[in-house]
Amino acid sequence: MTHTHTYYTYILFAFIILFTSFSLSAQHYVVKGKIYDANDKLTLPQVHVIPSEGNGAGVVADMDGVYSIALHGTEVELKFSFLGYDEVVKKIKCDDNKTITLNIAMTPTATELAAVQVVGTRFRSDKKTSIQSLEVIGLEHIQKANATTLDKALDNVAGLAIVDNEPQMRGGSGFSSGLGSRVMVLYDEMPILRADAGRPVWNLIPMEDVSQIEVLKGASSVMFGSAAINGAINVRSGLAKDVPETKVKIYTGFYSKPKNKTISPWTNQPPLLMGASLSHTRKIKKLNLTFTAEYASDDGYRGGDLPKQNAPGKRNDIVKAETRFRANAGAQYNFGHGWIASLNANFLYSDNNQFHFWYNADKGLYYTYPGTLSHFKDLMFFIDPTIKYVSPKGGVHVFKNRILFSDNNVLNMEGQDAASQTYYDEYHYKKTFKKAADLDFLVGICNTYANSFGSVFSGNMGNIGSSSGHTANNLALFTKFEKSFLKDKNLSAVLGARWEFANVDDFHENKPIFQAGLNYQIMASHTYFRASVGQGYRVATIAERYITVAVGDYGFFPNENLKSETSLNTELAVKQMFRIGGFEGFVDVAGFYQTYDNYIEFFMGPWRTNAPTLLKSFGFKFFNTGHAVIKGVEATLAGEGKVGDILKYQIQLAYTYSLPQTTEPDFIYASTLTKQYSYMNSSSDPSNKVLKYRIQHLAKADLNLTFIKKFTLGFSVQYFSSMHNIDGIFMEMDKQSPDAAPWLDYLGLDLPFEGIYNFREKHKKGAWIFGLRAGFEFNRFGLSIIVNNLLNTEYALRPLCVEAPRTVTLQLNYKFNDFNVGKIFNKQKKVDLSEIN
């Protein structure tokens, strides 16, 4: 750990000492009882019990849902608060020296239609009353889709496309080879992006222990920092219930041959995918324990270098996509008196192949261009120590940390190894001020320190902690206020601010940013209007500045002079709740408008000046391209209903249109000896000023049917429009393109760009992708079949990378609701209210 990181850690501890205080109050009477789920009668652990200001100290219920709180004052208001449940408020009247028994039943609200969201404990907000578009993905959907990695669980999110492992939110970013994400990915509200590359690590998240996923759209930098300039995805881990629970999942599946079987990399036995996972959660008095493990194997659907393929019929034409093992363990202990501590750890080993370019767009769609296949062995782990304290006056103090280590070794080529260590520290304090008419207040400080090293970065061959490695440090102060107004509390206002101090090697910068929003409800009609405006700020990552690597005949080149992006995002929206007979749901329509300064984009061109050949001078590089505007509209309809006890149905329809455009098409972003490069002369189609690598039309639909609570049948469809504009050099390097460069004939080489013009013309209407799933549940068993890309459509979301053909997966689940080993400890059961009385 460096002196810089140690210094900022001392600052965080100082804030804890400053804010944490104890106060003693005279005990006049005691209220005690149990808190439980109103539906299944199971007790709820760690519910916050907070009295009105000046009437006693707040407490946290123990792991069995039992609470006891000392109060004074003849009239006291008690608030019971727990994530995923409706808040309960009770008014109590009592004389001194009395004991009152008050058992509390709490009603769950975490459904697809009305989920208590978070993007975080940093602030709890509701789908209906949020100032920004907010979606939740429940545990039920994750299980039905066999989402073994996080990206697979996001298929139904409106406006979100995962393009070759990159999250693109409402057209806010284009393809950039996995570097510099503009959507922050968090696990339990702490960043899980690789700090050096700004890249999501989808397979690192333990999906066996996920309670729900929250997706916040629009500028989210005020709460979540630099990478959240377009939005944030937060994965929330689960908590143990009263009854010990063990889940086992086994699945196996296969890839279908492409529709054009003559270009398939295999001829006989299809490539397989398979895996197994285990999760166990339990409570032992005040201790909450979690353990999960997963093994996965994916043969993939791509072949190796086309000229080197084996004779027809041999299985080793296929290059294996991934083999991985992941394990996660967590412990949480309630010390009482408001103190809770937790420690979580997660480990991942992955042997995988990364594919950059197809061989060509004709017969080589499913093969790899020579030299562009990277064989990785990745080792990653993180450790999360957290302390939480509820003060006597109801304030909540949280100190959380994450230590993340990543070691990425490339076995088949030199110059691509990279490793990094990341330290994330955060302290925040939040409180509801009753005397200020329920003003919610949050203030915090956080710091992210990263040290990255390896041959993949220019000037960087050092070992961990060495002076030759690149370092990045982001220190931020943030605050947020939220308050309800009017007689019915149907007008909510939010104001947030952040001041970020960023360092990347010798680059130093600091910037304040702000966010404000309103949500107004028309009570009689259940209509909600929301409006928000928020600034965004993103510092170029270490990889964007310093990456230096060769892939085949092409390179990735550094740009140490990148300036930080800034943005302003505005959203206006209306949500209408409705009920028609037994069907209830909502319609949500949102318009968004975002402006960018110093926009960073990924370009291919002749950036290597000392190349031995013309071809090797070409590669990819990040540049600031001036001012840009992204505007559009998003509409969602979701609902559910029942037909007696026979059928339950859920439906979701969503459509997003975005128009990302440059406002400075003639801005010169780079110059060589022979050419000055601008948007106009580097784009394949600059006619509408649309930014490159954008999917402008995105439609999604999902229908789920449940028969007699045992059988499920689901249908899904996604539409992706083709990318209107890509790098113009792609067309120049395609011999079949009308824009082919005259010097191509002199190279005498087969290039991966060959046929891309005809491929884009063939697929210019976009792609419709259908899915089907069916399942059956009996007692503790669940059996399901999932078919992705049902019609076996050939399509590519980004150039030079074809998506998977049809896959068919069979999944078996088994759940132990009361594992026998639980008898050794304290076997929990449903709440018995007589124990309190």
Side-chain angles (χ1 to χ4, degrees), residues 23-30 54-57 69-74 76 96-97 392:
S23 64
L24 299 175
S25 57
Q27 295 186 11
H28 295 283
Y29 60 96
V30 173
N55 288 291
I69 184 168
L71 303 172
H72 53 83
T74 56
V76 179
D96 290 352
N97 302 317

Side-chain angles (χ1 to χ4, degrees), residues 45 87 91 202 213 236 265 312 323 353 355 362 382 394 464 674 700 703 706 714 757 759 762 776 785:
E87 190 174 88
K91 292 184 178 179
W202 301 114
I213 303 168
R236 190 162 299 280
T323 300
N353 284 284
F355 300 84
D362 294 327
F382 64 79
I464 190 164
T674 59
K700 301 184 179 185
L703 173 65
T706 304
Y757 174 81
F759 184 90
K762 177 182 176 182
F776 169 69
I785 185 169

Side-chain angles (χ1 to χ4, degrees), residues 482-495:
E482 185 170 346
K483 182 172 169 44
S484 297
F485 296 91
L486 304 181
K487 180 181 178 181
D488 295 318
K489 305 292 184 182
N490 57 324
L491 175 63
S492 299
V494 175
L495 178 64

